[in-house]
Amino acid sequence: MNSQRTVGSGKAEESIICVGSSSVPRNIPNDINSLSIINGTFSEIKEAMFSHIPSLQLLLLNSNSFTTIKDDAFSGLPHLEYLFIENNKMETMAKHAFRGLRDLTHLSLANNNMKALPRDLFADLDSLIELDVRGNAFQCDCRAKWVMTWLKSTNATVSDIVCAGPDDMKDKRLNDLQRLQSDCTSTDFTLHQSVGVQSLSVDTFSYKSDVFVAIASPNTGSCMVMQWDHIEMNFRTYDNITGQSIVGCKSVAIESHVFVIVAQLFGGSRIYKFDEDQNRFSKFQDIEVAKVSKPNDIEAFQIAKEWFFIMADSAKAGMSTLYKWSDQGFYSYQSLHEWFRDTDAEFWNKGAQKFLAQGEIPNVEDAVAVKAFRIKEDHYLALTRFIGDSKVLKWTSKDFVEVQALPSRGSMSLQPFSFKDRHYLALGSDYTFSGIYLWNPETKAFELFKEVYIHAPRSFTVVSTDRRDFLFASSFKGNTQIYEHVIVDLSL
């Protein structure tokens, strides 16, 4: 051990250099401000290894044999400003290796053998001005994503981090790799809640900053209205609309009014309105049986500030009917032609102010449901088939053409939905697992993303609240399942 004493500001200050040490010397003065250890033979830097020298302002650890640094390795050094760890054999360091070094201004990890830095390694370095990490073989994979994010937020001057791998990243600067943001982020659907009712459909609506869902449960003869509980963070029962063999509950919010259209197989369908005085839904209007005798589906929508809903009649030669809102209620506006179990496309004619037949979609026999969706500027249809291949069709400005087939096994619902910039299809199945497919923007096709087991699924509905996204899966023979769409950071 070599030492030298310097004098400044009227008091003695000591700088010590240790060469070839097998450990940190314990018999040095505890008031020195600079310590250098060079060519040391110890294998690691352990917790509080320098705490017996609390006055240190500079610590240099160069050309040593250690390969790792443990958590809290530099605890007990409240005044440390300069830390140089260079030209060692260091491969790894613990996440909290630099914990407590809030006065550190200069840090160098240059010329070591590190391939990755543990997440949030620099979290405690509030005073950092300069960081040097040159000369390491950094792998610019998902482990490096946090570093790229940190580089954008720090005020410190940081040397270029040049990637040594993977091969397609070699010799590129980490800060230039924007693709890590998307490549290292995935999603998942996790079971959040199970509602103990069988159901055919789920619909959602908002009223006075609260989020509600209406669940059609034919076995219990009810339309169960549930509300999101902001405290318990789950959905709880709010109201119960009773009826006979309810097959659909569709909400419509018009100005300050909220309606729930209840489709029933027996006794006629009805419309309920929320009564603020009673804090529940009360019957508002009957829908004549002569118009819709065997309702199968309800869709509500708005065109040019006018509100409509259509109730599909699944009876043979049934008359699906379009209803329009007036100040007094909903009235029959248009009866669509008899379906005869055909598959047709209808479009709104602005001049006629009605839906007119656009044409047939060939080679899609026995379709049980049709859903329209959009990805960027392209328009698609998702056609559900019970047995055979369900179809994804794309609009070509003249007609819809098939772009993808998805094997269907007892499918009653092929539901498109999106969360932010991720587009999904949920394909239900009575005979096997239901599949959630994710849109691949490169191949422009949906790929199987996750399988979930739902007993006889009949619908999938997106519900968002409190910055959380949920997917309700109705079940005709089991509980209604609520899945949460969660973001998965692959860099963790």
Side-chain angles (χ1 to χ4, degrees):
M1 179 179 73
N2 298 323
S3 67
Q4 63 184 46
R5 179 175 296 274
T6 62
V7 178
S9 303
K11 67 175 183 178
E13 297 179 349
E14 194 168 85
S15 175
I16 295 179
I17 301 174
C18 302
V19 180
S21 301
S22 59
S23 63
V24 177
R26 308 293 299 182
N27 59 346
I28 58 180
N30 62 7
D31 60 349
I32 63 169
N33 66 7
S34 173
L35 173 64
S36 299
I37 299 179
I38 301 171
N39 294 332
T41 59
F42 47 92
S43 61
E44 62 182 9
I45 300 180
K46 301 178 181 179
E47 178 183 353
M49 207 166 179
F50 305 92
S51 60
H52 59 292
I53 325 172
S55 61
L56 276 183
Q57 297 177 17
L58 183 148
L59 177 60
L60 184 145
L61 304 170
N62 282 13
S63 304
N64 297 285
S65 298
F66 59 83
T67 59
T68 186
I69 300 177
K70 298 293 187 180
D71 279 333
D72 301 306
F74 306 101
S75 66
L77 300 179
H79 307 295
L80 193 67
E81 297 180 20
Y82 298 88
L83 178 58
F84 303 100
I85 307 173
E86 303 169 332
N87 298 294
N88 301 287
K89 298 179 179 180
M90 188 172 62
E91 299 174 353
T92 62
M93 61 174 57
K95 176 179 180 179
H96 301 299
F98 302 131
R99 182 156 54 189
L101 297 182
R102 299 193 179 278
D103 285 347
L104 193 71
T105 58
H106 292 72
L107 172 64
S108 177
L109 303 173
N111 301 313
N112 287 285
N113 293 331
M114 293 182 297
K115 295 181 179 180
L117 298 172
R119 190 181 183 92
D120 298 328
L121 177 66
F122 310 123
D124 267 16
L125 306 185
D126 297 340
S127 303
L128 193 63
I129 295 175
E130 186 172 350
L131 172 66
D132 188 353
V133 289
R134 292 173 296 177
N136 289 281
F138 288 119
Q139 297 296 303
C140 294
D141 51 24
C142 288
R143 293 173 296 175
K145 178 190 169 187
W146 80 267
V147 182
M148 185 177 68
T149 302
W150 178 81
L151 287 172
K152 295 178 180 179
S153 63
T154 183
N155 293 322
T157 299
V158 184
S159 63
D160 284 345
I161 299 179
V162 180
C163 305
D167 290 342
D168 59 337
M169 305 283 193
K170 192 171 182 179
D171 297 328
K172 295 181 179 179
R173 291 194 326 142
L174 176 62
N175 209 23
D176 296 334
L177 302 181
Q178 298 300 323
R179 56 175 285 189
L180 282 186
Q181 293 288 356
S182 56
D183 289 354
C184 298
T185 301
S186 185
T187 55
D188 197 6
F189 292 86
T190 60
L191 185 62
H192 172 78
Q193 187 178 347
S194 184
V195 182
V197 294
Q198 300 168 359
S199 60
L200 281 180
S201 68
V202 177
D203 190 38
T204 181
F205 62 94
S206 297
Y207 182 67
K208 292 187 175 180
S209 301
D210 283 320
V211 174
F212 299 84
V213 293
I215 302 175
S217 177
N219 291 341
T220 60
S222 69
C223 176
M224 177 187 291
V225 179
M226 304 188 75
Q227 180 186 28
W228 172 253
D229 190 319
H230 299 275
I231 298 175
E232 297 295 331
M233 292 295 173
N234 60 17
F235 293 88
R236 59 180 178 84
T237 302
Y238 181 82
D239 195 6
N240 200 41
I241 302 172
T242 58
Q244 300 180 54
S245 190
I246 294 177
V247 295
C249 302
K250 176 63 66 173
S251 63
V252 184
I254 301 176
E255 295 177 350
S256 60
H257 307 297
V258 176
F259 302 92
V260 172
I261 306 160
V262 179
Q264 300 185 135
L265 291 180
F266 309 106
S269 299
R270 296 168 181 168
I271 301 175
Y272 290 79
K273 180 182 177 182
F274 184 73
D275 188 326
E276 288 194 7
D277 294 333
Q278 299 184 36
N279 204 36
R280 61 187 298 271
F281 285 90
S282 301
K283 191 174 81 167
F284 174 75
Q285 181 181 344
D286 289 318
I287 295 176
E288 59 270 42
V289 178
K291 288 292 184 183
V292 182
S293 60
K294 191 178 180 182
N296 180 62
D297 186 30
I298 319 167
E299 296 295 337
F301 49 90
Q302 189 178 26
I303 298 177
K305 298 183 179 180
E306 300 282 353
W307 276 100
F308 301 85
F309 77 84
I310 184 170
M311 191 171 287
D313 195 332
S314 62
K316 185 176 180 180
M319 193 68 73
S320 297
T321 304
L322 179 70
Y323 290 83
K324 183 178 180 180
W325 168 255
S326 69
D327 291 338
Q328 287 73 39
F330 292 91
Y331 65 95
S332 174
Y333 182 78
Q334 180 185 4
S335 293
L336 302 181
H337 68 89
E338 293 85 350
W339 293 100
F340 293 112
R341 301 189 180 128
D342 287 344
T343 301
D344 294 272
E346 306 283 329
F347 78 100
W348 181 258
N349 186 292
K350 291 182 180 180
Q353 290 291 295
K354 289 186 177 182
F355 285 96
L356 302 178
Q358 169 73 16
E360 298 289 326
I361 299 176
N363 304 319
V364 191
E365 298 83 5
D366 300 321
V368 297
V370 182
K371 298 291 183 182
F373 65 101
R374 180 173 168 176
I375 298 178
K376 293 186 176 180
E377 300 303 319
D378 295 322
H379 296 267
Y380 296 85
L381 291 180
L383 274 66
T384 310
R385 298 177 68 199
F386 191 72
I387 297 294
D389 288 346
S390 291
K391 308 285 187 178
V392 178
L393 293 88
K394 182 180 178 181
W395 179 250
T396 64
S397 76
K398 294 182 178 180
D399 52 15
F400 284 99
V401 297
E402 180 182 333
V403 293
Q404 188 172 1
L406 302 173
S408 301
R409 298 294 179 262
S411 299
M412 298 293 288
S413 177
L414 177 60
Q415 178 64 51
F417 63 97
S418 299
F419 291 119
K420 298 180 175 63
D421 58 346
R422 300 175 77 88
H423 304 282
Y424 297 94
L425 283 178
L427 178 62
S429 175
D430 281 11
Y431 303 137
T432 183
F433 288 97
S434 295
I436 297 177
Y437 291 78
L438 175 64
W439 175 257
N440 186 327
E442 295 182 0
T443 62
K444 294 189 178 301
F446 287 95
E447 300 173 355
L448 184 61
F449 176 74
K450 185 181 180 71
E451 290 186 321
V452 293
Y453 180 71
I454 305 160
H455 202 183
R458 289 297 178 266
S459 71
F460 299 90
T461 306
V462 166
V463 180
S464 297
T465 181
D466 286 345
R467 298 184 180 179
R468 297 172 68 174
D469 297 315
F470 300 94
L471 182 68
F472 278 67
S474 64
S475 169
F476 187 56
K477 296 182 179 179
N479 290 344
T480 299
Q481 307 285 24
I482 306 174
Y483 294 90
E484 183 171 6
H485 180 256
V486 296
I487 305 299
V488 179
D489 191 342
L490 301 178
S491 66
L492 294 176

PDB file of all heavy atoms in Angstrom, residues 27-28 82 105 114 117 134 165 256 282 284 328 334 341 357 378 439 443 451 459 461 487 492:
ATOM      1  N   ASN A  27      -6.896  -0.752   8.046  1.00  0.00           N
ATOM      2  CA  ASN A  27      -6.054   0.019   8.942  1.00  0.00           C
ATOM      3  C   ASN A  27      -5.647   1.368   8.351  1.00  0.00           C
ATOM      4  O   ASN A  27      -4.568   1.884   8.652  1.00  0.00           O
ATOM      5  CB  ASN A  27      -4.785  -0.778   9.275  1.00  0.00           C
ATOM      6  CG  ASN A  27      -3.977  -1.137   8.046  1.00  0.00           C
ATOM      7  OD1 ASN A  27      -4.484  -1.015   6.929  1.00  0.00           O
ATOM      8  ND2 ASN A  27      -2.736  -1.569   8.242  1.00  0.00           N
ATOM      9  N   ILE A  28      -6.505   1.920   7.509  1.00  0.00           N
ATOM     10  CA  ILE A  28      -6.192   3.228   6.938  1.00  0.00           C
ATOM     11  C   ILE A  28      -6.999   4.291   7.680  1.00  0.00           C
ATOM     12  O   ILE A  28      -8.048   3.991   8.269  1.00  0.00           O
ATOM     13  CB  ILE A  28      -6.490   3.268   5.428  1.00  0.00           C
ATOM     14  CG1 ILE A  28      -7.971   2.923   5.158  1.00  0.00           C
ATOM     15  CG2 ILE A  28      -5.594   2.309   4.678  1.00  0.00           C
ATOM     16  CD1 ILE A  28      -8.314   2.957   3.689  1.00  0.00           C
ATOM     17  N   TYR A  82     -17.082  11.021  -6.775  1.00  0.00           N
ATOM     18  CA  TYR A  82     -16.453  10.444  -7.956  1.00  0.00           C
ATOM     19  C   TYR A  82     -16.257   8.945  -7.716  1.00  0.00           C
ATOM     20  O   TYR A  82     -15.648   8.540  -6.728  1.00  0.00           O
ATOM     21  CB  TYR A  82     -15.092  11.096  -8.227  1.00  0.00           C
ATOM     22  CG  TYR A  82     -15.176  12.577  -8.502  1.00  0.00           C
ATOM     23  CD1 TYR A  82     -15.137  13.498  -7.451  1.00  0.00           C
ATOM     24  CD2 TYR A  82     -15.290  13.059  -9.798  1.00  0.00           C
ATOM     25  CE1 TYR A  82     -15.219  14.862  -7.691  1.00  0.00           C
ATOM     26  CE2 TYR A  82     -15.369  14.429 -10.052  1.00  0.00           C
ATOM     27  CZ  TYR A  82     -15.334  15.323  -8.993  1.00  0.00           C
ATOM     28  OH  TYR A  82     -15.414  16.666  -9.233  1.00  0.00           O
ATOM     29  N   THR A 105     -21.563  12.552  -8.501  1.00  0.00           N
ATOM     30  CA  THR A 105     -21.684  13.374  -9.703  1.00  0.00           C
ATOM     31  C   THR A 105     -21.049  12.715 -10.927  1.00  0.00           C
ATOM     32  O   THR A 105     -21.497  12.953 -12.054  1.00  0.00           O
ATOM     33  CB  THR A 105     -21.028  14.746  -9.489  1.00  0.00           C
ATOM     34  OG1 THR A 105     -19.640  14.558  -9.141  1.00  0.00           O
ATOM     35  CG2 THR A 105     -21.732  15.513  -8.374  1.00  0.00           C
ATOM     36  N   MET A 114     -19.565  -6.229 -18.948  1.00  0.00           N
ATOM     37  CA  MET A 114     -21.004  -6.242 -18.724  1.00  0.00           C
ATOM     38  C   MET A 114     -21.782  -6.344 -20.037  1.00  0.00           C
ATOM     39  O   MET A 114     -21.478  -5.646 -21.007  1.00  0.00           O
ATOM     40  CB  MET A 114     -21.432  -4.993 -17.961  1.00  0.00           C
ATOM     41  CG  MET A 114     -20.894  -4.941 -16.538  1.00  0.00           C
ATOM     42  SD  MET A 114     -21.485  -3.478 -15.669  1.00  0.00           S
ATOM     43  CE  MET A 114     -20.739  -2.186 -16.652  1.00  0.00           C
ATOM     44  N   LEU A 117     -27.339  -4.056 -17.753  1.00  0.00           N
ATOM     45  CA  LEU A 117     -27.393  -3.330 -16.485  1.00  0.00           C
ATOM     46  C   LEU A 117     -28.721  -3.626 -15.812  1.00  0.00           C
ATOM     47  O   LEU A 117     -29.766  -3.605 -16.473  1.00  0.00           O
ATOM     48  CB  LEU A 117     -27.262  -1.820 -16.724  1.00  0.00           C
ATOM     49  CG  LEU A 117     -25.960  -1.349 -17.370  1.00  0.00           C
ATOM     50  CD1 LEU A 117     -26.063   0.134 -17.726  1.00  0.00           C
ATOM     51  CD2 LEU A 117     -24.782  -1.600 -16.446  1.00  0.00           C
ATOM     52  N   ARG A 134     -18.587   3.141 -21.775  1.00  0.00           N
ATOM     53  CA  ARG A 134     -17.940   2.639 -22.985  1.00  0.00           C
ATOM     54  C   ARG A 134     -17.169   1.351 -22.706  1.00  0.00           C
ATOM     55  O   ARG A 134     -16.792   1.050 -21.585  1.00  0.00           O
ATOM     56  CB  ARG A 134     -16.980   3.694 -23.533  1.00  0.00           C
ATOM     57  CG  ARG A 134     -17.668   4.947 -24.084  1.00  0.00           C
ATOM     58  CD  ARG A 134     -16.651   6.015 -24.444  1.00  0.00           C
ATOM     59  NE  ARG A 134     -15.931   6.481 -23.250  1.00  0.00           N
ATOM     60  CZ  ARG A 134     -14.941   7.366 -23.274  1.00  0.00           C
ATOM     61  NH1 ARG A 134     -14.546   7.859 -24.437  1.00  0.00           N
ATOM     62  NH2 ARG A 134     -14.360   7.742 -22.158  1.00  0.00           N
ATOM     63  N   GLY A 165     -24.725  -6.759 -29.574  1.00  0.00           N
ATOM     64  CA  GLY A 165     -25.644  -7.781 -30.054  1.00  0.00           C
ATOM     65  C   GLY A 165     -27.055  -7.380 -29.690  1.00  0.00           C
ATOM     66  O   GLY A 165     -27.263  -6.389 -28.969  1.00  0.00           O
ATOM     67  N   SER A 256     -79.544  13.243 -21.534  1.00  0.00           N
ATOM     68  CA  SER A 256     -79.435  12.887 -20.101  1.00  0.00           C
ATOM     69  C   SER A 256     -80.220  11.632 -19.754  1.00  0.00           C
ATOM     70  O   SER A 256     -80.349  11.293 -18.582  1.00  0.00           O
ATOM     71  CB  SER A 256     -79.938  14.053 -19.244  1.00  0.00           C
ATOM     72  OG  SER A 256     -81.301  14.344 -19.533  1.00  0.00           O
ATOM     73  N   SER A 282     -87.160   1.587 -14.901  1.00  0.00           N
ATOM     74  CA  SER A 282     -88.600   1.337 -14.936  1.00  0.00           C
ATOM     75  C   SER A 282     -89.045   1.180 -16.383  1.00  0.00           C
ATOM     76  O   SER A 282     -88.462   1.778 -17.300  1.00  0.00           O
ATOM     77  CB  SER A 282     -89.374   2.495 -14.293  1.00  0.00           C
ATOM     78  OG  SER A 282     -88.972   2.674 -12.946  1.00  0.00           O
ATOM     79  N   PHE A 284     -90.582   1.676 -19.846  1.00  0.00           N
ATOM     80  CA  PHE A 284     -90.843   2.917 -20.563  1.00  0.00           C
ATOM     81  C   PHE A 284     -91.719   2.680 -21.795  1.00  0.00           C
ATOM     82  O   PHE A 284     -92.574   3.496 -22.134  1.00  0.00           O
ATOM     83  CB  PHE A 284     -89.505   3.541 -20.968  1.00  0.00           C
ATOM     84  CG  PHE A 284     -89.614   4.755 -21.837  1.00  0.00           C
ATOM     85  CD1 PHE A 284     -89.991   5.981 -21.308  1.00  0.00           C
ATOM     86  CD2 PHE A 284     -89.328   4.688 -23.208  1.00  0.00           C
ATOM     87  CE1 PHE A 284     -90.090   7.108 -22.113  1.00  0.00           C
ATOM     88  CE2 PHE A 284     -89.416   5.810 -24.010  1.00  0.00           C
ATOM     89  CZ  PHE A 284     -89.797   7.023 -23.467  1.00  0.00           C
ATOM     90  N   GLN A 328     -90.733  11.436 -27.857  1.00  0.00           N
ATOM     91  CA  GLN A 328     -91.664  10.671 -27.028  1.00  0.00           C
ATOM     92  C   GLN A 328     -91.236   9.214 -26.836  1.00  0.00           C
ATOM     93  O   GLN A 328     -91.705   8.548 -25.924  1.00  0.00           O
ATOM     94  CB  GLN A 328     -93.073  10.689 -27.650  1.00  0.00           C
ATOM     95  CG  GLN A 328     -93.794  12.015 -27.526  1.00  0.00           C
ATOM     96  CD  GLN A 328     -93.227  13.062 -28.462  1.00  0.00           C
ATOM     97  OE1 GLN A 328     -92.872  12.754 -29.604  1.00  0.00           O
ATOM     98  NE2 GLN A 328     -93.120  14.301 -27.984  1.00  0.00           N
ATOM     99  N   GLN A 334     -88.210   1.350 -40.112  1.00  0.00           N
ATOM    100  CA  GLN A 334     -88.022   0.580 -41.343  1.00  0.00           C
ATOM    101  C   GLN A 334     -88.029  -0.901 -41.013  1.00  0.00           C
ATOM    102  O   GLN A 334     -87.393  -1.338 -40.051  1.00  0.00           O
ATOM    103  CB  GLN A 334     -86.698   0.947 -42.024  1.00  0.00           C
ATOM    104  CG  GLN A 334     -86.440   0.185 -43.319  1.00  0.00           C
ATOM    105  CD  GLN A 334     -85.063   0.471 -43.909  1.00  0.00           C
ATOM    106  OE1 GLN A 334     -84.266   1.187 -43.309  1.00  0.00           O
ATOM    107  NE2 GLN A 334     -84.782  -0.102 -45.069  1.00  0.00           N
ATOM    108  N   ARG A 341     -82.691 -16.700 -43.779  1.00  0.00           N
ATOM    109  CA  ARG A 341     -81.393 -17.256 -43.407  1.00  0.00           C
ATOM    110  C   ARG A 341     -80.307 -16.967 -44.446  1.00  0.00           C
ATOM    111  O   ARG A 341     -79.346 -17.705 -44.589  1.00  0.00           O
ATOM    112  CB  ARG A 341     -81.498 -18.778 -43.150  1.00  0.00           C
ATOM    113  CG  ARG A 341     -82.484 -19.119 -42.036  1.00  0.00           C
ATOM    114  CD  ARG A 341     -82.423 -20.580 -41.657  1.00  0.00           C
ATOM    115  NE  ARG A 341     -83.381 -20.825 -40.586  1.00  0.00           N
ATOM    116  CZ  ARG A 341     -84.299 -21.770 -40.604  1.00  0.00           C
ATOM    117  NH1 ARG A 341     -84.388 -22.572 -41.637  1.00  0.00           N
ATOM    118  NH2 ARG A 341     -85.126 -21.947 -39.608  1.00  0.00           N
ATOM    119  N   ALA A 357     -80.228  -2.823 -49.669  1.00  0.00           N
ATOM    120  CA  ALA A 357     -79.401  -4.013 -49.911  1.00  0.00           C
ATOM    121  C   ALA A 357     -78.208  -3.649 -50.788  1.00  0.00           C
ATOM    122  O   ALA A 357     -78.348  -2.996 -51.819  1.00  0.00           O
ATOM    123  CB  ALA A 357     -80.230  -5.097 -50.580  1.00  0.00           C
ATOM    124  N   ASP A 378     -58.676   0.780 -43.249  1.00  0.00           N
ATOM    125  CA  ASP A 378     -59.303  -0.383 -43.889  1.00  0.00           C
ATOM    126  C   ASP A 378     -60.519  -0.848 -43.104  1.00  0.00           C
ATOM    127  O   ASP A 378     -60.522  -0.862 -41.868  1.00  0.00           O
ATOM    128  CB  ASP A 378     -58.296  -1.534 -44.012  1.00  0.00           C
ATOM    129  CG  ASP A 378     -57.140  -1.182 -44.950  1.00  0.00           C
ATOM    130  OD1 ASP A 378     -57.399  -0.516 -45.968  1.00  0.00           O
ATOM    131  OD2 ASP A 378     -55.996  -1.563 -44.645  1.00  0.00           O
ATOM    132  N   TRP A 439     -53.834  -8.971 -34.108  1.00  0.00           N
ATOM    133  CA  TRP A 439     -53.492  -8.490 -35.447  1.00  0.00           C
ATOM    134  C   TRP A 439     -51.996  -8.265 -35.580  1.00  0.00           C
ATOM    135  O   TRP A 439     -51.380  -7.603 -34.746  1.00  0.00           O
ATOM    136  CB  TRP A 439     -54.234  -7.196 -35.733  1.00  0.00           C
ATOM    137  CG  TRP A 439     -53.894  -6.515 -37.020  1.00  0.00           C
ATOM    138  CD1 TRP A 439     -53.094  -5.421 -37.179  1.00  0.00           C
ATOM    139  CD2 TRP A 439     -54.365  -6.860 -38.327  1.00  0.00           C
ATOM    140  NE1 TRP A 439     -53.036  -5.063 -38.502  1.00  0.00           N
ATOM    141  CE2 TRP A 439     -53.811  -5.928 -39.232  1.00  0.00           C
ATOM    142  CE3 TRP A 439     -55.211  -7.863 -38.813  1.00  0.00           C
ATOM    143  CZ2 TRP A 439     -54.070  -5.980 -40.598  1.00  0.00           C
ATOM    144  CZ3 TRP A 439     -55.466  -7.910 -40.181  1.00  0.00           C
ATOM    145  CH2 TRP A 439     -54.903  -6.979 -41.055  1.00  0.00           C
ATOM    146  N   THR A 443     -47.821  -8.924 -41.291  1.00  0.00           N
ATOM    147  CA  THR A 443     -48.436  -9.915 -42.173  1.00  0.00           C
ATOM    148  C   THR A 443     -49.859  -9.533 -42.548  1.00  0.00           C
ATOM    149  O   THR A 443     -50.463 -10.148 -43.427  1.00  0.00           O
ATOM    150  CB  THR A 443     -48.454 -11.293 -41.498  1.00  0.00           C
ATOM    151  OG1 THR A 443     -49.244 -11.224 -40.298  1.00  0.00           O
ATOM    152  CG2 THR A 443     -47.043 -11.724 -41.127  1.00  0.00           C
ATOM    153  N   GLU A 451     -55.388 -18.715 -25.517  1.00  0.00           N
ATOM    154  CA  GLU A 451     -56.565 -19.564 -25.430  1.00  0.00           C
ATOM    155  C   GLU A 451     -57.149 -19.475 -24.025  1.00  0.00           C
ATOM    156  O   GLU A 451     -56.404 -19.471 -23.035  1.00  0.00           O
ATOM    157  CB  GLU A 451     -56.231 -21.016 -25.763  1.00  0.00           C
ATOM    158  CG  GLU A 451     -55.893 -21.234 -27.224  1.00  0.00           C
ATOM    159  CD  GLU A 451     -55.697 -22.700 -27.567  1.00  0.00           C
ATOM    160  OE1 GLU A 451     -55.101 -23.424 -26.738  1.00  0.00           O
ATOM    161  OE2 GLU A 451     -56.113 -23.126 -28.659  1.00  0.00           O
ATOM    162  N   SER A 459     -70.828 -14.196 -26.275  1.00  0.00           N
ATOM    163  CA  SER A 459     -70.459 -12.838 -26.674  1.00  0.00           C
ATOM    164  C   SER A 459     -69.210 -12.401 -25.930  1.00  0.00           C
ATOM    165  O   SER A 459     -68.871 -12.955 -24.874  1.00  0.00           O
ATOM    166  CB  SER A 459     -71.608 -11.855 -26.392  1.00  0.00           C
ATOM    167  OG  SER A 459     -71.757 -11.645 -25.009  1.00  0.00           O
ATOM    168  N   THR A 461     -67.390  -8.594 -24.808  1.00  0.00           N
ATOM    169  CA  THR A 461     -67.673  -7.161 -24.730  1.00  0.00           C
ATOM    170  C   THR A 461     -66.552  -6.444 -24.005  1.00  0.00           C
ATOM    171  O   THR A 461     -66.117  -6.876 -22.926  1.00  0.00           O
ATOM    172  CB  THR A 461     -69.000  -6.901 -23.987  1.00  0.00           C
ATOM    173  OG1 THR A 461     -70.037  -7.656 -24.610  1.00  0.00           O
ATOM    174  CG2 THR A 461     -69.350  -5.425 -24.003  1.00  0.00           C
ATOM    175  N   ILE A 487     -50.884  -4.835 -19.438  1.00  0.00           N
ATOM    176  CA  ILE A 487     -49.640  -4.600 -20.177  1.00  0.00           C
ATOM    177  C   ILE A 487     -48.518  -5.379 -19.499  1.00  0.00           C
ATOM    178  O   ILE A 487     -48.336  -5.297 -18.285  1.00  0.00           O
ATOM    179  CB  ILE A 487     -49.295  -3.106 -20.226  1.00  0.00           C
ATOM    180  CG1 ILE A 487     -50.476  -2.311 -20.821  1.00  0.00           C
ATOM    181  CG2 ILE A 487     -48.030  -2.869 -21.034  1.00  0.00           C
ATOM    182  CD1 ILE A 487     -50.820  -2.699 -22.233  1.00  0.00           C
ATOM    183  N   LEU A 492     -38.726  -6.716 -17.736  1.00  0.00           N
ATOM    184  CA  LEU A 492     -38.604  -6.970 -16.296  1.00  0.00           C
ATOM    185  C   LEU A 492     -37.930  -8.303 -16.041  1.00  0.00           C
ATOM    186  O   LEU A 492     -38.106  -9.257 -16.814  1.00  0.00           O
ATOM    187  CB  LEU A 492     -39.991  -6.964 -15.647  1.00  0.00           C
ATOM    188  CG  LEU A 492     -40.718  -5.612 -15.656  1.00  0.00           C
ATOM    189  CD1 LEU A 492     -42.105  -5.757 -15.081  1.00  0.00           C
ATOM    190  CD2 LEU A 492     -39.924  -4.590 -14.865  1.00  0.00           C
TER     191      LEU A 492
END
